[in-house]
């Protein structure tokens, strides 16, 4: 016991925390051996140090843990510490060396690695924390699933979200996480089936419909961005075609046809997904008429869909089809208005609602309304 005490005290006296870990590890080994020997004695014969041992270990752990936390949370100390993240990390690793059973240490290590941009270590550290938590809190699940979704191990995100749903069946956020993981891994149909299955069980539950509507719309946003990129690629290729001839011209024209075919296929997906997303969010508004965010999301859905239709109009040569796309786009903008106006009616102090109204009023040529919205948005 006293060997462990001396080693840990020596470690504390080293100015550079990065050089303390070996002594802390030796100290931990001595403390563990001391506990083993003490517990082998009859209870009435154990030395008084047995009662002090755990507290001693915790006190050394707390010194290192708090030193790291203070560097990260105290602005003046952070500014005065060279490489504050790395220094804090050294303190936390020392805390692990003397007391490897603390989940809190691994939690802050994960957060530190995240701040340093090291996602792999951020994930593995929080996995260590989860192993030490008997009953992980809702926030623990949320954090680790979010890390998985950012870094790409979507199968782990799906598995952990399922476990979280079992532990917290009333928290729909984990349904959303699981659906998002399916979508990110390219399994959009499974994501939709997942939430639709829950909706069938509880058709009047607005939260499940919100999850389905927002998750599907995330996919719409991703596909729309890809379509925009393809239109730009096709425009540049058409510019190049003017200077080509022979086999090069044929190859370029073939490539344009393939891009156009891909765009058409993706725009069909957009049409279907927008319908599904809007349908579910309308049901949310129907079930909860005073839900301002649901009204606002519907406005976004229709406004962005109008932008996609305008893009189709701008990239077509048939005047009649272009006119049809233009009218469809404007019709969707008028629909967006009704939901934006409802959101602004429910919460007239939110400038974001008025900014969106300003954009739509301007596009539709409603100048007086646009001016009013601009003033209320503080633009």
């Amino acid at each position: 016991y006293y060997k462990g005490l001396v080693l840990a005290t020596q470690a504390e006296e080293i100015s550079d925390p990065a050089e303390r870990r070996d002594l802390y590890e030796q100290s931990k080994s001595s403390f563990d051996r001391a506990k083993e020997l003490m517990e082998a004695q009859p209870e009435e014969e154990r030395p008084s140090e047995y009662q002090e041992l755990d507290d001693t270990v915790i006190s050394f752990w707390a010194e290192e843990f708090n030193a790291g936390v203070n560097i990260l949370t105290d602005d003046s100390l952070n500014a005065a510490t060279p490489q504050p993240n790395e220094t804090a990390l050294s303190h936390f690793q020392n805390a692990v060396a003397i007391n490897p059973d603390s989940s809190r240490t691994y939690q802050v290590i994960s957060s530190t690695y995240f701040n340093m941009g090291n996602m792999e270590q951020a994930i593995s550290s929080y996995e260590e924390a989860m192993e030490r938590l008997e009953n992980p809190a809702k926030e623990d699940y949320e954090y680790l699933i979010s890390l998985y979704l950012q870094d790409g191990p979507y199968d782990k995100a799906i598995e952990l979200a399922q476990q979280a749903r079992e532990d917290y069946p009333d928290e729909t956020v984990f349904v959303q996480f699981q659906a998002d993981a399916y979508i990110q891994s390219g399994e959009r149909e499974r994501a939709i089936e997942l939430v639709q299955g829950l909706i069938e069980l509880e058709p009047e539950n607005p939260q499940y419909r919100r999850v389905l509507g927002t998750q599907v719309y995330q996919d719409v946003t991703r596909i729309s961005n890809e379509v925009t990129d393809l239109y730009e690629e096709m425009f540049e290729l058409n510019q190049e075609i003017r200077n080509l001839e022979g086999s090069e011209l044929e190859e370029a024209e073939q490539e344009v046809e393939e891009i156009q075919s891909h765009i058409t296929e993706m725009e069909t997906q957009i049409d279907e997904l927008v319908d599904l997303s809007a349908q579910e969010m309308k049901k949310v508004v129907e079930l909860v008429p005073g839900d301002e965010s649901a009204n606002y999301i519907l406005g976004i859905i229709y406004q962005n869909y109008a932008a996609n239709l305008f893009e189709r109009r701008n990239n077509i040569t048939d005047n009649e089809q272009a006119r049809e796309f233009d009218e469809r786009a404007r019709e969707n903008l008028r629909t967006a208005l009704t939901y934006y106006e409802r959101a602004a009616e429910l919460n007239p102090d939110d400038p974001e609602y008025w900014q969106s109204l300003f954009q739509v009023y301007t596009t539709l040529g409603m100048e007086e309304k646009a001016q009013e919205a601009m003033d209320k948005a503080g633009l």
Side-chain angles (χ1 to χ4, degrees):
Y1 169 80
Y2 285 106
K3 180 181 178 182
L5 190 62
V6 169
L7 288 166
T9 303
Q10 287 179 330
E12 279 188 319
E13 293 173 353
I14 297 174
S15 58
D16 185 354
E19 296 179 2
R20 300 175 185 174
R21 196 181 318 166
D22 182 59
L23 283 173
Y24 276 127
E25 288 173 349
Q26 293 180 52
S27 172
K28 172 62 176 169
S29 177
S30 293
F31 283 136
D32 286 347
R33 179 60 178 152
K35 193 168 190 177
E36 180 185 337
L37 291 169
M38 291 174 183
E39 289 181 342
Q41 301 293 320
E43 189 171 341
E44 65 275 7
E45 296 181 16
R46 289 173 186 170
S48 60
E49 287 84 355
Y50 179 73
Q51 303 299 325
E52 302 170 13
L53 200 154
D54 286 343
D55 288 343
T56 300
V57 170
I58 293 301
S59 69
F60 285 113
W61 167 83
E63 285 291 328
E64 292 291 340
F65 180 85
N66 291 333
V69 170
N70 289 337
I71 290 172
L72 296 180
T73 58
D74 186 316
D75 291 341
S76 59
L77 182 58
N78 186 280
T81 304
Q83 297 183 307
N85 284 324
E86 289 79 358
T87 304
L89 192 57
S90 294
H91 283 297
F92 296 141
Q93 288 167 338
N94 292 336
V96 167
I98 192 68
N99 180 25
D101 297 327
S102 168
S103 60
R104 290 175 62 194
T105 313
Y106 286 101
Q107 288 170 328
V108 293
I109 287 175
S110 174
S111 177
T112 306
Y113 274 126
F114 180 82
N115 292 337
M116 296 168 66
N118 189 333
M119 291 296 294
E120 182 178 350
Q121 288 296 329
I123 288 173
S124 64
S125 299
Y126 216 87
E127 287 174 337
E128 292 275 3
M130 292 288 277
E131 288 179 8
R132 288 161 174 76
L133 290 168
E134 186 174 347
N135 298 301
K138 168 179 173 283
E139 292 75 18
D140 293 308
Y141 281 118
E142 286 182 343
Y143 183 79
L144 185 52
I145 295 169
S146 296
L147 291 181
Y148 286 148
L149 290 174
Q150 288 187 57
D151 199 52
Y154 302 124
D155 57 332
K156 288 188 175 183
I158 292 167
E159 182 180 343
L160 192 60
Q162 179 60 39
Q163 183 179 334
R165 287 178 58 199
E166 294 169 5
D167 288 351
Y168 296 93
D170 296 331
E171 296 291 343
T172 56
V173 65
F174 297 120
V175 178
Q176 185 165 344
F177 274 134
Q178 195 169 20
D180 192 29
Y182 278 129
I183 288 174
Q184 296 289 350
S185 61
E187 298 183 80
R188 175 164 47 85
E189 293 301 323
R190 289 194 67 179
I192 293 174
E193 288 173 10
L194 165 70
V195 188
Q196 285 179 330
L198 294 170
I199 290 172
E200 287 177 8
L201 294 174
E202 297 184 55
E204 301 304 303
N205 186 326
Q207 293 305 321
Y208 290 145
R209 294 187 180 274
R210 181 192 299 275
V211 168
L212 181 55
T214 54
Q215 289 298 316
V216 168
Y217 193 68
Q218 285 183 23
D219 214 23
V220 172
T221 302
R222 178 186 60 79
I223 297 172
S224 296
N225 291 336
E226 291 178 9
V227 167
T228 297
D229 292 340
L230 287 173
Y231 271 126
E232 291 177 2
E233 183 181 346
M234 189 167 65
F235 174 80
E236 292 174 2
L237 198 54
N238 280 323
Q239 293 294 99
E240 293 176 12
I241 282 177
R242 299 177 181 180
N243 301 316
L244 299 178
E245 56 184 27
S247 61
E248 289 185 341
L249 176 61
E250 291 179 5
E251 289 177 9
E253 288 176 338
Q254 177 64 31
E255 189 174 350
V256 167
E257 288 182 15
E258 290 173 359
I259 293 173
Q260 182 59 66
S261 175
H262 194 193
I263 288 173
T264 301
E265 179 183 336
M266 295 174 80
E267 286 177 341
T268 300
Q269 289 183 38
I270 289 172
D271 293 341
E272 294 172 353
L273 293 174
V274 165
D275 283 345
L276 176 58
S277 179
Q279 169 189 313
E280 295 305 323
M281 293 309 298
K282 284 178 180 177
K283 188 63 177 178
V284 174
V285 170
E286 179 185 323
L287 292 168
V288 190
D291 190 327
E292 63 183 81
S293 76
N295 280 280
Y296 184 61
I297 290 169
L298 272 166
I300 292 172
I301 290 172
Y302 282 108
Q303 184 184 6
N304 288 347
Y305 187 43
N308 176 264
L309 293 169
F310 280 134
E311 186 172 51
R312 299 187 205 185
R313 176 202 65 186
N314 296 339
N315 287 278
I316 200 167
T317 56
D318 185 301
N319 288 336
E320 181 59 26
Q321 282 189 315
R323 187 193 63 76
E324 290 175 4
F325 278 130
D326 185 83
E327 182 51 41
R328 283 178 62 193
R330 293 180 182 278
E331 181 181 343
N332 276 273
L333 283 179
R334 288 188 285 271
T335 304
L337 270 185
T338 63
Y339 292 108
Y340 280 147
E341 288 172 341
R342 176 59 177 155
E345 178 186 338
L346 291 165
N347 184 4
D349 296 327
D350 192 322
E352 194 171 6
Y353 299 162
W354 294 106
Q355 289 172 17
S356 297
L357 281 167
F358 167 71
Q359 294 170 0
V360 178
Y361 285 140
T362 300
T363 304
L364 292 175
M366 304 168 68
E367 296 180 6
E368 187 175 335
K369 287 280 193 179
Q371 180 65 48
E372 178 186 353
M374 183 173 68
D375 293 340
K376 290 184 177 180
L379 297 177

